[in-house]
Amino acid sequence: MADAAPSRPLARLRLGDREFELGRRTLVAGILNCTPDSFFDGGLHAGPREAVARYHQMAEEGADWIDLGGESTRPGAEPVPALEEWRRVEPVCAAARRAGHPLPLSIDTTKAEVAERALDAGAAIVNDVSALRFDPRLAALAARYRAGLILMHMRGEPRSMQREPRYGDVVAEVRDELAAALRAAAGRGVDEARVVIDPGIGFGKTVAHNLEILRRLGEFSLLGRPVMVGCSRKSFIGAVCDAPPPERLEGTLAAHVAAALAGAHVVRVHDVAAHRRALALADALLGGPPES
Ligand code: HH2
């Protein structure tokens, strides 16, 4: 009989001098938006004290890394000046450093000025939702600091990306555009072993496009890099589950379990503890822990 069990290819990720094998367990990147206007947690962690408390809370809940952002990229969002963006995230970078970086920190920015300050403060990964389109200097910077680099796919820019996005074959086109971004990164000195790819759920995609990407996520493994996915409380979940952002946890867990079974190595989430529990099941189905 054919083996119908889901599987996930292992993938290696280099950060600094260290090399990690991804895929035995789904990694959880906890979202920490120090913004007044993010679509779900906007304003909740905008103050330094709340942001630092949230960092420690997500670490205790079992996050594998923290993705720190100071600019919302929700549809329609306006860009924030680099200095203001850095002012928002700096207290968390400082607190993480004081705590001896118990978890790797990724800086979710499209600006080299912000990324450089975060890398100086000890961030290990640059999360670029424009895949080097907005600020190509991010590539040389990531290379110089020997940091990880997340290349996320987006069509257009946040201000306008949801105006009638069109694709022929969305998976093939997103994958080809990510392949081109990977080549551009390598051309600017980035070691491919440091790159994570992300199809950019909700970034210039309709509900149908997002569902198609999740269904066929396994096709992204052809690029040979770890795959990250971020569905957390996004509007396609609202559309499918008929729920506003505060009521999208169950849909988010379902989407991320499906993503893990289809090959995601990392999921980007607002709700760390709930994901740890849900993903334990996905990982068990994939043949990983628990061992007993
Ligand atoms: N989604 C958001 C922001 N950054 N980075 C990656 N790699 N993948 C994603 O899917 C992704 C991302 C948008 O979500 P959120 O940060 O929750 O909201 P906002 O942009 O409003 O701050």
Side-chain angles (χ1 to χ4, degrees):
M1 210 166 77
D3 182 3
S7 66
R8 172 170 55 194
L10 297 176
R12 301 191 78 78
L13 178 64
R14 203 170 286 158
L15 299 177
D17 289 331
R18 300 184 62 192
E19 186 130 340
F20 300 86
E21 190 176 60
L22 274 53
R24 297 210 181 274
R25 183 170 77 77
T26 312
L27 298 186
V28 169
I31 302 171
L32 181 44
N33 286 320
C34 305
T35 54
D37 56 343
S38 287
F39 79 93
F40 175 60
D41 59 351
L44 289 179
H45 320 112
R49 204 174 317 169
E50 295 81 1
V52 171
R54 183 72 178 154
Y55 172 90
H56 291 297
Q57 185 191 4
M58 288 197 290
E60 275 164 30
E61 288 181 4
D64 294 292
W65 90 56
I66 303 293
D67 186 46
L68 177 65
E71 177 181 60
S72 173
T73 48
R74 72 184 193 291
E78 292 292 331
V80 173
L83 260 183
E84 168 62 11
E85 193 181 327
W86 170 247
R87 192 193 60 74
R88 294 176 181 178
V89 297
E90 193 272 338
V92 177
C93 291
R97 171 175 257 180
R98 274 198 305 278
H101 286 287
L103 296 178
L105 197 63
S106 57
I107 178 72
D108 185 348
T109 187
T110 56
K111 302 184 189 80
E113 291 84 357
V114 177
E116 183 158 18
R117 289 179 186 221
L119 291 166
D120 275 337
I125 303 167
V126 176
N127 176 17
D128 178 10
V129 297
S130 80
L132 303 178
R133 284 190 302 120
F134 295 178
D135 190 345
R137 294 175 302 165
L138 281 171
L141 192 66
R144 180 150 55 86
Y145 280 81
R146 305 174 74 232
L149 177 62
I150 301 166
L151 296 174
M152 195 205 78
H153 179 270
M154 181 193 320
R155 270 277 164 96
E157 54 183 51
R159 210 181 313 200
S160 56
M161 66 191 176
Q162 289 307 103
R163 283 185 213 142
E164 293 188 50
R166 277 178 219 273
Y167 299 84
D169 177 337
V170 64
V171 173
E173 287 176 40
V174 170
R175 197 184 55 216
D176 288 352
E177 288 172 31
L178 284 173
L182 251 175
R183 284 194 297 275
R188 289 171 182 267
V190 174
D191 174 359
E192 283 202 17
R194 301 187 186 279
V195 177
V196 172
I197 55 161
D198 184 328
I201 294 291
F203 285 84
K205 282 121 190 154
T206 63
V207 174
H209 293 143
N210 292 318
L211 293 173
E212 183 74 4
I213 287 171
L214 282 179
R215 247 182 238 123
R216 294 169 53 196
L217 200 65
E219 295 178 35
F220 289 92
S221 67
L222 291 176
L223 297 179
R225 301 308 313 140
V227 176
M228 180 168 181
V229 170
C231 299
S232 200
R233 297 181 183 263
K234 286 185 177 170
S235 65
F236 84 103
I237 292 178
V240 173
C241 302
D242 190 20
E247 291 160 29
R248 293 179 189 165
L249 175 59
E250 297 86 346
T252 299
L253 293 170
H256 282 155
V257 166
L261 296 179
H265 299 87
V266 188
V267 292
R268 182 181 176 275
V269 315
H270 295 99
D271 307 276
V272 171
H275 274 85
R276 280 266 69 101
R277 291 190 286 267
L279 292 167
L281 198 93
D283 291 340
L285 287 168
L286 285 161
E291 256 121 45
S292 61

